[in-house]
Amino acid sequence: MKAAIILLPGDGIGPEVTGAARSVLDRVAQMRGHEFSFTTHRIGGCSIDASGVALTKEVLESCARADAVLLGAVGGPKWDNPGAAVRPEQGLLALRKGLGLYANLRPVRPHARLLDASPIKPDHLKGVDLLVLRELTGGLYFGMPRGRDEVDGRLRAFDTMEYYEYEIRRILVLAFRLAGGRRKKVTSVDKANILETSRLWRATAADVARDFPGVTLENMLVDTAAMRLIAQPAGFDVLVTENMFGDILTDEASVLAGSMGLLPSASIGESGPGLYEPIHGSAPDIAGKGIANPVGAILSAALLLRHSLGLEAEAQAVERAVDRAIADGFRTADIRGSGSTEAVTGGVVERITFI
Ligand code: NAD
C-alpha cells in the first residue's frame, strides 16, 4: 500500500528516536512491498526558533493531508518558561485540536525480561497487557465557565466539568471495538457516586455495551481503579475514562513497564490522520548522546501501522521484533543495558519477520 507519513521529530532526543522508528517503517515497507513516503517538519522549540510559533499553519495543513503523523518530543530548558507567551507544548495542543483527535491510546505490556525494572513487584506484573483510553476533548480541562472571582470578600477559583453525550459515546464505542480484538473486557472508569458527568458516562457505557454482546463491561470508580492498577494490573484489558482521570491513570500505568522510554501512544480522531508518539519527553539530559531508548518510538510506529494504515500483521511483526531484541539483550541504559540507540534499533530491524 501507499501511505504519506509526516515526521515531526521535535526537540532533544526527538530526532534520534524518530529516526529509529523511521528505519523500522522503511524495513517493513521494503519487506512487504509498501510505499511509505516521509516528509519532515518542525514542531516545538525548533519551530519557535525558526518561525516564532510552535507549529505553523503550513505544517498543520500538511499533517491534515497525510495518512499519519509520527512525533518525537517537544521542549527543553531553552524554551521551558511557563510564563512565556510562546511555548513548545502549544505545538502539540494545536496539532491535537487541528486534527480533531479525541482518544489517546496507551498500551502497557511489561516485557517478561524487564519485570525487575519496574518498582512494582514482578509477581504483580505477570500477564499484564492493558490498553488505557483517555478522552481528550472534554471534561475539566475545557469546560466553561472557568476563572477567578471574589465571593463575600474571599478569592475563589472554579473550573467546569462538562461532557456531551456524543463525546462519551464515541470513545466508548472505540473502547468496545478495540476490546473485541483483544481479551473482550472493557473497564469504564468514572466517579458516578459523586459526579453528574460520570452518571451520564456510566449510562452511556451501559447503552454502548448492548451493541457489543461479546464484550464484558465492568464499571469502576476512579479511586478503586487507581488502587487496582498497582495491586492487580493483570485484571485489566481495555480501561476507558474521561480526560483528567485518564491523564492521571495513564501516567500511573506507565510505571508498570519500568521505563518511560518503552511506551508508545496513539491519538485518534473520527477521520483523518492519527498522531503517534512515545510517551516520554525530549530528555534534554541525554539528548545528542546516542543513548536514548528508541523502543517507545518504534512501538508508536507499530501503532501507526495498526490504527492508521490497517496493517495488523506488520504491527505485530514490529512488536514481536521489539520483544525478541529486548530478550536478546539489546537494551539502552534506562533498562539496565549498555546499547546505543543505533544498536537497539538495528537489533529490532534485524528481527522483523513475517510468518
Ligand atoms: P522526559 O520524559 O523528557 O525525561 C524524564 C527522564 O526520563 C529523564 O531522566 C530522561 O533522560 C528519561 N528518558 C525519557 N525518555 C527516555 C528515553 N527514550 N530513553 C532513555 N531515557 C529516557 O521528561 P522531563 O525531563 O520532565 O521533560 C523534559 C522536556 O520534555 C521538558 O521540556 C518537557 O516539557 C518536555 N516534555 C515533552 C513531552 C512531549 O513532547 N510529549 C512530554 C513530557 C515532557
Side-chain angles (χ1 to χ4, degrees):
M1 81 175 297
K2 286 189 178 177
I5 299 170
I6 302 286
L7 298 177
L8 300 176
D11 308 313
I13 61 169
E16 299 166 54
V17 299
T18 316
R22 184 191 166 153
S23 305
V24 166
L25 289 171
D26 277 337
R27 177 72 177 146
V28 167
Q30 182 202 13
M31 291 177 82
R32 302 283 278 186
H34 300 308
E35 282 179 43
F36 297 159
S37 70
F38 295 95
T39 311
T40 303
H41 291 297
R42 291 193 181 94
I43 189 170
C46 59
S47 173
I48 294 175
D49 287 351
S51 48
V53 289
L55 182 76
T56 65
K57 199 166 136 271
E58 293 73 34
V59 172
L60 177 59
E61 282 168 3
S62 168
C63 291
R65 284 193 303 270
D67 293 302
V69 180
L70 186 65
L71 186 137
V74 299
K78 183 174 173 191
W79 309 278
D80 269 350
N81 172 9
V86 184
R87 297 189 307 278
E89 64 273 19
Q90 288 168 343
L92 271 182
L93 297 177
L95 195 58
R96 285 186 190 140
K97 190 156 189 269
L99 297 180
L101 307 173
Y102 70 86
N104 181 251
L105 280 60
R106 282 201 199 174
V108 180
R109 192 169 50 88
H111 192 285
R113 298 283 176 87
L114 297 178
L115 297 189
D116 59 347
S118 167
I120 311 293
K121 283 187 193 141
D123 268 0
H124 287 34
L125 295 172
K126 280 193 193 125
V128 170
D129 178 4
L130 57 88
L131 173 65
V132 186
L133 263 77
R134 167 189 170 193
E135 204 289 327
L136 286 177
T137 65
L140 265 180
Y141 295 175
F142 297 101
M144 287 294 181
R146 63 195 299 168
R148 291 186 187 194
D149 61 7
E150 232 175 68
V151 180
D152 298 332
R154 292 176 181 181
L155 181 62
R156 178 176 80 145
F158 51 92
D159 298 283
T160 300
M161 186 140 177
E162 180 180 76
Y163 263 105
Y164 285 90
E165 194 252 7
Y166 80 89
E167 293 175 307
I168 301 173
R169 183 172 293 274
R170 67 183 173 185
I171 191 159
L172 281 160
V173 167
L174 181 61
F176 276 86
R177 248 186 37 222
L178 293 171
R182 295 172 46 99
R183 297 198 313 283
K184 301 185 173 35
K185 180 176 167 193
V186 169
T187 304
S188 173
V189 174
D190 60 38
K191 190 72 182 169
N193 53 344
I194 310 275
L195 299 174
E196 198 52 43
T197 42
S198 283
R199 287 194 267 272
L200 178 60
W201 187 283
R202 199 172 272 214
T204 310
D207 196 40
V208 171
R210 280 190 269 281
D211 291 336
F212 295 88
V215 178
T216 309
L217 168 65
E218 168 186 55
N219 293 297
M220 194 176 284
L221 295 175
V222 63
D223 36 344
T224 308
M227 193 183 67
R228 291 268 178 88
L229 260 178
I230 298 297
Q232 296 162 308
F236 292 106
D237 178 17
V238 174
L239 193 156
V240 58
T241 191
E242 66 89 41
N243 204 345
M244 185 181 66
F245 298 162
D247 193 0
I248 298 165
L249 293 182
T250 45
D251 269 21
E252 188 188 345
S254 70
V255 175
L256 302 171
S259 169
M260 303 266 284
L262 291 167
L263 291 177
S265 80
S267 300
I268 310 275
E270 285 187 64
S271 61
L275 171 67
Y276 302 86
E277 53 182 320
I279 70 155
H280 60 73
S282 60
D285 50 335
I286 58 165
K289 295 186 179 162
I291 57 168
N293 191 341
V295 167
I298 291 172
L299 291 177
S300 300
L303 295 181
L304 182 158
L305 291 166
R306 171 173 296 128
H307 295 291
S308 277
L309 307 188
L311 298 173
E312 180 61 30
E314 284 81 347
Q316 286 186 18
V318 171
E319 289 165 350
R320 275 197 312 271
V322 166
D323 280 354
R324 287 187 197 140
I326 290 174
D328 290 346
F330 287 87
R331 298 179 199 169
T332 42
D334 56 309
I335 46 173
R336 298 185 196 152
S338 57
S340 64
T341 308
E342 199 184 338
V344 173
T345 306
V348 174
V349 167
E350 281 164 16
R351 282 164 181 73
I352 299 173
T353 53
F354 291 91
I355 307 156

